Amino acid sequence: MSTLKHKGKGPQALTANTLRDGLNVWLTPEFEWSMNYAEALITEDTALIDKMNTCGERDEVNNLVVGVYFIDVEPDTGLPARYREKFRVKGPTYDTATLVPLEIQKV
Amino acid sequence: MYRYDEFDAEMVSSRVDQFRSQVNRRLSGELTEAEFRPLRLMNGLYLQLHAYMLRVAVPYGTLNSTQMRKLADLADKYDKGYGHITTRQNVQFNWPQLTDVPDMLEELASVEMHAIQTSGNCIRNVTSDPYAGAIADEIEDPRPTCEILRQWSTLHPEFTFLPRKFKIAVIATEKDRALVRAHDIGIEIIKNAEGETGYRIIVGGGLGRTPIIGQVLREFLPRIELLPYLEATLRVYNRYGRRDNKYKARIKILVQETGIETFREQVEAEYSELVPLDIAVSPEEVSRITDYFAPPAFKKLEACEIKTKDSALARWMKHNVLPHKVDGYAIVNISLKPIERAPGDVTSEQMRVVADLAEKYSFSELRTTHQQNLVLPHVEISELENVYKALQAAKMGDANIGLISDIICCPGMDFCALATARSIPVSQAIAERFQDLEHQSVIGDMQIKISGCINACGHHHVGHIGILGLEKAGVEFYQVKIGGDPSENTALGQVTGPGFSQEELIDGIERMVDHYIEIREAKERFIDTVRRVGVEPFKEVLYV
């Protein structure tokens, strides 16, 4: 859980991958996991961040998510500060799946 | 091609059961993620930027139609309807769910495939010449040697936890289509002065953050000594390779720090302690395995050429079709580099088309290439037009093999958890800028290679033009190398200087290409001109 401890500056969000399907998720204000970043809890409140931390640890132990960590969020835009995290939010800019009819895609 | 015996089948099948149990125990919480991670990696399952990724082994790049159809089925049933050919001839699926992976592995086992040793600090999938068994100038088909290495290295008890991953490539021609000098061990099948067939062993090559060209460890190794000698080499690496720093753990660093002479002495000393015949493969066993790779039942055909007025077909035959060792046959390269797509990606529909073509025209055989394309190795020349039309209809008829748009490109930031910048859009932008096929023909042989981080999965160090994607303060920029060469004249490119935005990069590449066309002599390729005039004139036009 070493990556989980809050070390960032400014507003934070908590992200992870679901254990079963591996997809990216963010912790919501209801302390549930959403695949929609727009629903992410973003806060600078240290008490709330501690609670998010506890929630992340709990859900890892409960085998709901893996690879939990905090990300820095830009105060102005509400988007992740790090370039890599912006991609986790937006998904691939090119995916060959767009060439495949949706009805034959499992995912 | 090789067919599993009862031991292979039992091993792969039991491995599926084992992994299914491991997944169930992970889901129930009996295994923590820390305990499970090395187990899933041993079965080729990574967790990437957006999802899990499953890497399926394609031993030495050889597949049959049934296996290709199975990959297509897996793509539809468990993924998003496509797969990706890697620079080590494997196939990756970008979106599998953990809960489905045991079923995927079971389906793969049904067609004699698996994902074992496609990750982890072990001996990885052995790669080879995609034209093996079809090209005229090979000393012998290298695949029996690859298969012997596969059997030796699979679940080898001593070499399952090496200091770092270990990659081996084998070729049997003077022309290198497998990048052997950029592998931990490269093996060239050669003949000595007495006409005996044996091996030249090259060690300590690699790309990544410390690119090094491999050096000759043994100039000629008799055939019978192959496994004992490799066993000794791996033992020396296992003993002295650094485990304190993963960035210095590859054998290339050990060889560089030790010096090739001392390293050779260490290997020979270890070798002298072995009882070689305990490990050596008997000639009878070599013969048994070689029989699996016996040539298909070629017809007796006259040597012939196709004369066509169809300029598109003529261009395709010029760039994508190569002479075969048997009269009347040809080797067909299938480009997976259309302008608007991600290099190496192939949809399930296309996989089925290729499987059908292989079945109808190539004895059900096909190959994956480290250049991220596919090959039909044995096509009758009289059927080339039919093959071309079918490929064209499936959007795989691009006549650009070896040209500027035949780019090696890693998945980059679009998929990879380690990447620092995107590489797919850069590849697409270059292909779009040079989309005129006539102009591509005029430019001629050109190897552009793009990596989205310093780990160099896109082989940028050996690109005639190599591109490395980096990021600073939220902005992607691209560093350029010039003068690399992935062929038998392996060379590492030189960094030109500060990086560019994507737009500046494409303009700069165009200026370098224009400059090359302006100053080239006779039939010089881009790389020949760079060697003749040096990197400096190209830097000048790049940074104009």
Side-chain angles (χ1 to χ4, degrees), chain B residues 452-473:
Chain B
C453 76
I454 57 173
N455 293 307
C457 294
H459 295 184
H460 67 280
H461 298 299
V462 291
H464 297 170
I465 297 175
I467 298 165
L468 168 62
L470 298 163
E471 175 256 340
K472 193 172 182 183

Side-chain angles (χ1 to χ4, degrees), chain B residues 333-354:
Chain B
N333 287 280
I334 301 172
S335 168
L336 298 181
K337 314 290 176 62
I339 291 167
E340 72 280 11
R341 305 255 183 114
D345 278 10
V346 53
T347 67
S348 55
E349 188 186 347
Q350 290 175 320
M351 289 183 209
R352 291 190 183 96
V353 169
V354 173

Side-chain angles (χ1 to χ4, degrees), chain B residues 445-487:
Chain B
D445 184 25
M446 173 69 93
Q447 300 274 317
I448 293 186
K449 302 183 191 297
I450 309 170
S451 301
C453 76
I454 57 173
N455 293 307
C457 294
H459 295 184
H460 67 280
H461 298 299
V462 291
H464 297 170
I465 297 175
I467 298 165
L468 168 62
L470 298 163
E471 175 256 340
K472 193 172 182 183
V475 178
E476 289 167 318
F477 65 100
Y478 296 90
Q479 208 174 62
V480 175
K481 283 189 147 191
I482 303 174
D485 189 344
S487 76

Side-chain angles (χ1 to χ4, degrees), chain B residues 302-317:
Chain B
E302 297 292 320
C304 63
E305 283 182 22
I306 287 190
K307 289 184 177 142
T308 177
K309 289 179 181 170
D310 179 342
S311 60
L313 173 62
R315 186 185 291 118
W316 179 78
M317 288 200 297

